[in-house]
Amino acid sequence: MAVKTFTFRYDSEDDIGQWMAKQSKKGDSIDAAIRTIIGNYGFDDYRKIAPKQVSLSGKNEEKIKNDVKVNVNKQETVESNIQNEVKNKPSETKNDSEGKADLGMFSSL
């Protein structure tokens, strides 16, 4: 088995840097993260898969936060509209015979 060394550079202010700062054994954490990716996605180029799953850079973090805010606002608007429709729905009066079963054909039993 040949052990290889790989130099990894990252911005300490970026999301990767924040994650790295919390890892007590960086090599073991990176190894575990890579094994998790392999287990979930196989050996294909992760950059072809990841954009469908997550943002690859913390630089887009503000855009993602804004997108989430917009989606939350849209959801709140939809929920508000539904509540208004329910409140404004004309009440349906039940027919007096509704709920009473017609047992005419069984009355002789």
Side-chain angles (χ1 to χ4, degrees):
M1 173 175 94
V3 176
K4 296 189 176 195
T5 301
F6 176 76
T7 302
F8 179 69
R9 292 187 179 101
Y10 59 91
D11 181 356
S12 62
E13 309 264 327
D14 199 358
D15 52 352
I16 294 171
Q18 293 173 19
W19 182 83
M20 290 292 281
K22 295 192 185 254
Q23 308 310 305
S24 59
K25 292 186 175 183
K26 290 171 181 41
D28 289 348
S29 295
I30 292 171
D31 186 69
I34 292 170
R35 291 184 188 282
T36 300
I37 292 168
I38 291 169
N40 288 321
Y41 303 105
F43 293 95
D44 293 330
D45 185 351
Y46 189 64
R47 293 179 306 150
K48 293 179 182 175
I49 300 166
K52 298 174 189 169
Q53 306 294 323
V54 296
S55 170
L56 292 178
S57 172
K59 295 172 187 169
N60 294 328
E61 189 172 323
E62 191 61 36
K63 181 187 180 310
I64 292 168
K65 286 180 184 176
N66 288 336
D67 289 347
V68 168
K69 286 178 187 175
V70 168
N71 287 337
V72 168
N73 289 338
K74 283 181 183 177
Q75 181 65 28
E76 289 171 351
T77 301
V78 168
E79 289 173 0
S80 176
N81 289 343
I82 290 170
Q83 289 173 353
N84 287 338
E85 286 177 22
V86 170
K87 286 178 186 175
N88 296 331
K89 185 177 181 182
S91 61
E92 298 174 9
T93 57
K94 289 188 176 183
N95 189 344
D96 287 340
S97 64
E98 200 174 75
K100 295 181 182 178
D102 181 15
L103 300 175
M105 67 179 183
F106 296 109
S107 63
S108 64
L109 296 176

